[in-house]
């Protein structure tokens, strides 16, 4: 069966060179929605409750000691940062773990790619589905922060879109990393060596100008930092040019992550 599926994929890839269609993407999204309807309860609970607990624990615990930071109440500063952390967790973990399990254990991609769907469409659809969820779940900490005194602004309506773009990029990064490892045990290296530094050095809990110069440079290259700055920009108002600069950095990150994720998954699934 595996040989038959591989032959079908080879024939399809030869008959559809260079084509990228919307219908296969919507088909994969429909499949994801059907799967999500069975597990939405625990997935939603974990995605919403964990960042809220971070916000409450650090906001009230550290906030009582710090008071204000960078000119803002600490719980407001933290609340806007936790949005980005929530997006990271709800996009990169599924991108890494779900993709690996489907490829190595469930062999889901063999069935999907036997249909008129190519790797680019599968990866795009899966990352988009993860990003849609991240865009929704990422708003929960912001709503909690508003409930505890963060002043809402009209610009906050952009937060779901910021979370969507960020979630799309980090879902693709997770997919890329899942394609680079050969054992699920190697996930520990990715979690400790990639995900943890990403959210610790992004201005989530403290301004990056408190770091040494070399660490500030590294932080400025962190895509999550740009998400943090965009979310904070909607709450605390930053200039148009800085806002566009952070948005451009996220778009570049997402484009590069898409190219690399598709290339590596192509090698894993087809080549």
């Amino acid at each position: 069966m595996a040989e038959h599926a591989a032959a079908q994929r080879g024939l399809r890839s030869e008959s559809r060179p260079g084509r990228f269609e919307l219908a296969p993407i919507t088909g994969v999204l429909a499949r994801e929605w059907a799967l999500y309807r069975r597990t939405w309860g625990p997935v939603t609970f974990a995605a919403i409750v964990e960042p809220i607990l971070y916000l409450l624990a650090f906001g009230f615990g550290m906030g009582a000691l710090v008071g204000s930071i960078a000119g803002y109440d600490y719980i407001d500063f933290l609340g806007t940062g936790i949005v980005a952390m929530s997006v990271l967790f709800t996009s990169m973990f599924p991108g890494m773990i779900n993709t690996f399990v489907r490829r190595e254990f469930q062999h889901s991609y063999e069935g999907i790619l036997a249909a008129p769907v190519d790797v680019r469409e599968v990866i795009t659809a899966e990352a988009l589905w993860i990003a849609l969820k991240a865009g929704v779940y990422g708003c929960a900490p912001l709503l909690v922060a508003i409930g505890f005194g963060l002043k809402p602004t009209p610009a906050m309506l952009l937060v779901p879109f910021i979370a969507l773009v960020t979630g799309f990029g980090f879902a693709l990064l997770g997919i890329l990393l899942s394609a680079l490892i050969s054992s699920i045990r190697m996930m520990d290296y990715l979690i400790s060596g990639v995900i943890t530094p990403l959210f610790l050095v992004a201005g989530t809990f403290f301004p990056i100008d408190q770091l040494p110069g070399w660490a500030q440079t590294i932080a400025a290259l962190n895509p999550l930092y740009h998400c943090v700055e965009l979310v904070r920009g909607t709450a605390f108002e930053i200039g148009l040019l800085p806002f566009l600069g952070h948005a451009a950095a996220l778009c570049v990150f997402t484009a590069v992550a898409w190219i690399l994720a598709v290339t590596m998954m192509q090698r894993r699934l087809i080549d």
Side-chain angles (χ1 to χ4, degrees):
M1 278 206 54
E3 294 178 358
H4 178 65
Q8 285 183 309
R9 294 197 297 272
L11 290 173
R12 186 189 65 256
S13 62
E14 292 176 3
S15 63
R16 301 176 62 235
R19 297 179 63 182
F20 189 84
E21 300 177 354
L22 180 61
I25 294 176
T26 57
V28 175
L29 287 174
R31 176 183 180 274
E32 295 291 343
W33 169 247
L35 294 173
Y36 176 73
R37 289 171 61 186
R38 302 178 184 177
T39 60
W40 70 270
V43 170
T44 301
F45 179 82
I48 291 178
V49 170
E50 184 173 4
I52 289 176
L53 291 177
Y54 269 99
L55 174 59
L56 296 178
F58 283 92
F60 287 109
M62 299 257 326
L65 299 174
V66 176
S68 63
I69 190 168
Y72 309 107
D73 288 342
Y74 186 68
I75 195 166
D76 295 343
F77 181 89
L78 181 66
T80 50
I82 291 291
V83 172
M85 191 187 79
S86 174
V87 171
L88 173 69
F89 285 0
T90 55
S91 58
M92 201 159 171
F93 278 115
M96 286 195 315
I97 299 172
N98 293 359
T99 304
F100 187 89
V101 170
R102 289 174 180 179
R103 190 185 81 236
E104 293 294 326
F105 301 116
Q106 297 177 344
H107 302 287
S108 303
Y109 295 122
E110 292 180 7
I112 295 175
L113 293 174
V117 183
D118 67 19
V119 174
R120 296 170 304 166
E121 294 157 348
V122 172
I123 298 307
T124 301
E126 291 211 339
L128 180 58
W129 172 251
I130 293 170
L132 288 169
K133 292 189 295 179
V136 174
Y137 295 150
C139 294
L142 187 65
L143 294 175
V144 172
I146 290 173
F148 282 100
L150 177 64
K151 183 179 178 181
T153 66
M156 286 182 181
L157 295 174
L158 295 174
V159 170
F161 301 100
I162 295 169
L164 175 67
V165 174
T166 306
F168 189 61
F170 278 113
L172 290 166
L173 179 58
I175 292 171
L176 167 64
L177 294 175
S178 78
L180 294 175
I181 61 176
S182 56
S183 169
I184 198 166
R185 294 183 180 275
M186 296 182 70
M187 291 284 179
D188 292 334
Y189 293 112
L190 299 179
I191 294 170
S192 300
V194 179
I195 294 180
T196 301
L198 278 174
F199 81 84
L200 286 179
V201 189
T204 306
F205 299 101
F206 50 84
I208 66 168
D209 59 15
Q210 303 298 311
L211 299 171
W214 60 268
Q216 292 184 39
T217 302
I218 294 175
L221 297 175
N222 182 356
L224 194 66
Y225 162 72
H226 298 287
C227 176
V228 170
E229 290 300 300
L230 287 172
V231 174
R232 288 209 176 109
T234 66
F236 305 140
E237 298 182 0
I238 62 174
L240 180 60
L241 287 180
F243 191 91
L244 292 177
H246 292 302
L250 273 181
C251 291
V252 170
F253 159 68
T254 300
V256 172
W258 185 86
I259 293 170
L260 295 177
V262 169
T263 300
M264 290 306 303
M265 287 296 285
Q266 180 85 16
R267 293 178 182 176
R268 282 287 188 181
L269 299 173
I270 303 295
D271 297 344

